[in-house]
Amino acid sequence: MAQKETSSKKKLLSGSLIALLAASIITASLAGCGGTSGDKATADEAVATEIVTEEVSGVYVDKDGKLVSAPANEEKAETKTNKSADTQTSKTNSKANADTNTKTNNNTNSNTNNNSTNSNTNSNSTNSNTNTNNGSGTKSNTERKTTPKNASEGKTSGKSQEDSAAKDLTIGGKSYKVGDTVVCTYFLEVPENMVNFQGKVTYDSGMLEKTNAYLVEPANYGALLNKDIDGKVVFNGSMLSGYDFTSPGYEFLVVEYKVLKTGTTEPSIDFDVITGTSDKSYAGSNGALSGGANVWAVYS
């Protein structure tokens, strides 16, 4: 009897232990499957906290020391920083290149302008010297008009006579209508180069209106001419190297007129001074030439 009770107690204790163990298992299962959302978040945080990384010598490793990628946020931050740095560097380089190009272009333009200015200055200097040289010496004989064969003697009486009944004005053996232009060209011949000359043309200002007068090269070198005197044209010149009006004689002076009235008129040319390089005088009395010097008038 006693042996049966002991056996029954052992069975009861074993059953109690089994029941208690079963209850614990059920409770744990219910907690894992049927817990609240807050419990799940807590579990996730625990897992996330457990898989932590740390930076060692510039790389990231997990808790076991294995190499892992850098956290996403840090990778993005680093990429953005690099892009910003690259953009800033590009802008800086572009600005530096632009500034360099601008300075280079400015220097080039400045040098070009300076060179152009120097070129113009040199050119002007050359032209100035050329003009100065052209103002001295004697013009080549091959470029000058020589005395024509039909030229009449320039020294005339200087007399004039108005004739209202006449249809024309007769001058230098030619006839002109009132209002016509008369051009008188004087040709001069001197046996040697002359170093100076002085003379005048006299005309009837009632019959003719003087419109122009000028000395012909080389007579205009170192010379003066006054055409503003009524009824006269006065002139003179001097040049140590001499004026070449040797044979056959060359164009010397031109006087232009406008015809005012009909009749006859004869302007005259007189020389007060003509001196050769030998110091010989070729101007005679009363304005006439002497010693082989001659002057002719040609009207056109």
Side-chain angles (χ1 to χ4, degrees):
M1 184 76 175
Q3 187 176 4
K4 288 182 179 180
E5 286 180 0
T6 302
S7 179
S8 298
K9 288 181 180 180
K10 288 182 179 179
K11 289 180 180 181
L12 180 60
L13 180 59
S14 296
S16 297
L17 291 174
I18 292 171
L20 181 59
L21 180 60
S24 299
I25 293 173
I26 291 172
T27 300
S29 297
L30 290 176
C33 297
T36 64
S37 59
D39 295 335
K40 184 178 185 301
T42 302
D44 291 340
E45 289 176 1
V47 172
T49 304
E50 183 178 3
I51 308 175
V52 296
T53 59
E54 61 178 337
E55 185 179 1
V56 178
S57 300
V59 297
Y60 290 91
V61 296
D62 58 15
K63 64 179 183 178
D64 296 324
K66 295 181 180 179
L67 182 66
V68 297
S69 299
N73 291 339
E74 293 189 13
E75 289 180 353
K76 292 181 179 179
E78 182 180 0
T79 302
K80 183 176 181 180
T81 300
N82 291 339
K83 287 183 177 179
S84 298
D86 292 342
T87 301
Q88 184 62 31
T89 301
S90 177
K91 289 181 178 179
T92 302
N93 291 338
S94 297
K95 185 177 185 305
N97 291 336
D99 291 342
T100 301
N101 291 336
T102 300
K103 291 180 180 179
T104 301
N105 292 335
N106 289 339
N107 290 336
T108 301
N109 292 335
S110 177
N111 290 336
T112 301
N113 292 334
N114 289 336
N115 290 336
S116 298
T117 303
N118 292 336
S119 176
N120 291 334
T121 301
N122 292 334
S123 177
N124 292 335
S125 298
T126 301
N127 292 336
S128 177
N129 291 334
T130 300
N131 292 335
T132 300
N133 291 334
N134 285 339
S136 61
T138 301
K139 186 176 180 180
S140 172
N141 291 345
T142 59
E143 300 175 7
R144 303 165 66 187
K145 292 183 180 180
T146 58
T147 306
K149 294 181 179 181
N150 62 344
S152 60
E153 187 177 347
K155 175 62 178 176
T156 60
S157 63
K159 295 180 180 180
S160 292
Q161 183 176 351
E162 182 181 348
D163 184 358
S164 58
K167 295 181 179 180
D168 304 314
L169 174 68
T170 301
I171 180 174
K174 295 184 178 182
S175 298
Y176 299 88
K177 301 292 184 182
V178 173
D180 284 353
T181 296
V182 178
V183 179
C184 179
T185 302
Y186 292 99
F187 291 82
L188 178 64
E189 179 186 348
V190 180
E192 61 177 318
N193 287 357
M194 56 183 182
V195 293
N196 55 48
F197 61 84
Q198 179 177 306
K200 63 181 180 294
V201 172
T202 304
Y203 65 95
D204 185 347
S205 58
M207 304 288 286
L208 298 169
E209 177 188 351
K210 178 177 71 259
T211 58
N212 195 20
Y214 55 91
L215 290 163
V216 179
E217 185 180 351
N220 60 344
Y221 298 158
L224 296 173
L225 181 147
N226 188 343
K227 59 183 178 181
D228 296 329
I229 303 173
D230 187 34
K232 291 183 180 180
V233 176
V234 296
F235 52 85
N236 63 69
S238 178
M239 185 166 65
L240 293 178
S241 59
Y243 302 92
D244 180 8
F245 283 88
T246 56
S247 180
Y250 300 97
E251 187 178 20
F252 174 75
L253 172 68
V254 176
V255 182
E256 299 175 1
Y257 305 96
K258 179 181 178 181
V259 176
L260 300 177
K261 296 179 180 179
T262 59
T264 60
T265 188
E266 292 291 342
S268 64
I269 183 168
D270 303 297
F271 283 91
D272 302 317
V273 176
I274 287 185
T275 306
T277 53
S278 67
D279 203 31
K280 181 179 179 178
S281 175
Y282 293 92
S285 61
N286 300 321
L289 295 179
S290 63
N294 293 286
V295 63
W296 296 273
V298 176
Y299 288 89
S300 60

